[in-house]
Amino acid sequence: MSILNNLKILIMKFLSLITVLGFFQISFAQNPIIQTKYTADPAPMVYKDTVYLYTSHDEDDAFGFKMKDWLLYTSTDMVNWTDHGVVASLKDFKWVNTDNGAWAPQVVERKGKFYMYCPMPNNMGIGVLVADSPYGPFTDPIGKPLIKNSLDDIDPTVLIDDDGQAYLYWGNPNLWYAKLNEDMISLAGPITKDPSFAKVKDQPDPFKYQEGPWAWKRNGIYYMAYASKCCPEGIGYAMAKSPTGPWNYGGVIMDGDQRSSGNHPGIIDFKGKSYVFGFNHMLRMQTMSKHYERRSVSVTEITYNADGTIQKLPFWTTDGAKRVGTLDPYKKVEAETMAYSEGLKTEMVTEWERNQPYNRGKKITDRVIVTSINNGDYIKIQGVDFSKGVKSLDVNVASLYGGKIEVRSDALNGPLLGVVNVTGKGEGDLYKTINTPLKSTKGIHDLYFVFKGEKDLFYFDWWKFN
């Protein structure tokens, strides 16, 4: 009898362990956090209750750097990211004579306006765009470079100090800085090469600074993170008592790794936690063995020590940031909101009043949709709060060849809540809402949309539980 009781106890402990491990598995972001496009140079901005993540964009067929525009993703829980498509491009700068070279940007907010600082290729300098919304549209207020100083003019980062003074930093392989006026589009002082990071010929650089600076202030300490000496690049950081230095070496946030030649830090505090963003080549390496500049953004939590130094992290793992919120399924959710996906792409499409090339009429709407949906592909959404239960699901789709959506909870092959049948063919430009009854569920669950069918199935615009 005692043996049987001990066995029962062991079984219960094992089941409890599985439950705990399962909880942690579904509570963390899965790196890379964007899978539908190649992204790099993450520039996160916290505004109100949302993280706005601006990224550069490697084209799908890139061998070297092929980058034409900048993208925007948002999250309120650090695990589910909504794709808002292209937010700006090189075409927004009329003085730029190329369509390739949309390198690492940063966006900051000041007095309700949003300023986007963008480096230009071919020694054309650093430009600035401005918008009334973090989603844009962004326009060029000065029509010329804000910075045109040297061959180092890339990778801008901005710090607005507690006294309101803004500082713009940039540079590869040197760090430069200048004060900005309150308008954020003009300089308030001279351009200075920072002596703390200055290169010394034939001597090792004590900071191992290469490029990609990211400035911030925390608890009275000024920080400068950066991509450390190439290649491969890790993430190092320096600390100072002043926004203009002198900077003292702080340590390494992450060592370089042969799995990614480059890196580019973006660091924020959000909902009481601190995070570092960067990039690797994990997405490209799923399908390609040789090196191409097709990068993927990742994120993980960082921890500060009592003296302000930062604890070292391993190179990017598949486990990202821990979820810090839940998702409301009872309001319309864009289908391009994902914690993870397989096989899918996203695309912004414009719907016009008429389909006549020379007389389209009025624009009806812009949609960011999920495309390239084929058999076995899926979308994963984490931390969906089904506190009100479930009766049915609405999905908005445009059918190509038609197919099915299996709605599952907690795992790719988890409990089946129901199946959405997308009927009809040749309706890829007609968006329809389909209502499907589902088995009821309650509590907080991960949600999976698993796609089944032949050929290209359909376009997916949004969903909503009832």
Side-chain angles (χ1 to χ4, degrees), residues 156-230:
T157 182
V158 174
L159 167 71
I160 302 177
D161 207 351
D162 299 336
D163 61 2
Q165 179 62 60
Y167 297 84
L168 175 66
Y169 310 84
W170 69 94
N172 173 351
N174 300 289
L175 181 71
W176 300 78
Y177 69 88
K179 290 183 179 181
L180 292 172
N181 285 314
E182 191 173 349
D183 63 10
M184 302 296 284
I185 59 173
S186 62
L187 300 185
I191 293 174
T192 303
K193 180 190 287 189
D194 191 287
S196 302
F197 291 90
K199 296 288 183 181
V200 180
K201 188 177 180 180
D202 299 327
Q203 292 184 14
D205 178 5
F207 295 99
K208 298 188 182 298
Y209 174 86
Q210 180 66 41
E211 59 183 342
W214 184 272
W216 77 104
K217 185 179 183 180
R218 186 179 186 275
N219 295 339
I221 300 174
Y222 297 87
Y223 291 86
M224 187 70 68
Y226 47 85
S228 59
K229 193 171 183 179
C230 193

Side-chain angles (χ1 to χ4, degrees), residues 403-430:
K404 300 178 183 293
I405 307 175
E406 293 181 353
V407 184
R408 296 183 178 271
S409 64
D410 298 325
L412 192 58
N413 60 349
L416 182 66
L417 302 182
V419 178
V420 179
N421 290 300
V422 181
T423 59
K425 294 183 178 181
E427 299 177 349
D429 52 356
L430 298 175

Side-chain angles (χ1 to χ4, degrees), residues 17-18 54 95 124 169 227 245 324 365 367 389 407 463-465:
L17 179 61
I18 290 177
Y54 300 87
W95 47 273
M124 284 187 284
Y169 310 84
V324 293
T365 187
R367 303 174 187 262
V407 184
W463 57 268
K464 176 179 176 292
F465 280 82

Side-chain angles (χ1 to χ4, degrees), residues 23-41:
F23 170 78
F24 281 112
Q25 183 181 10
I26 67 173
S27 295
F28 282 82
Q30 190 170 340
N31 284 327
I33 59 174
I34 309 298
Q35 310 85 40
T36 56
K37 292 186 177 76
Y38 292 110
T39 55
D41 306 321

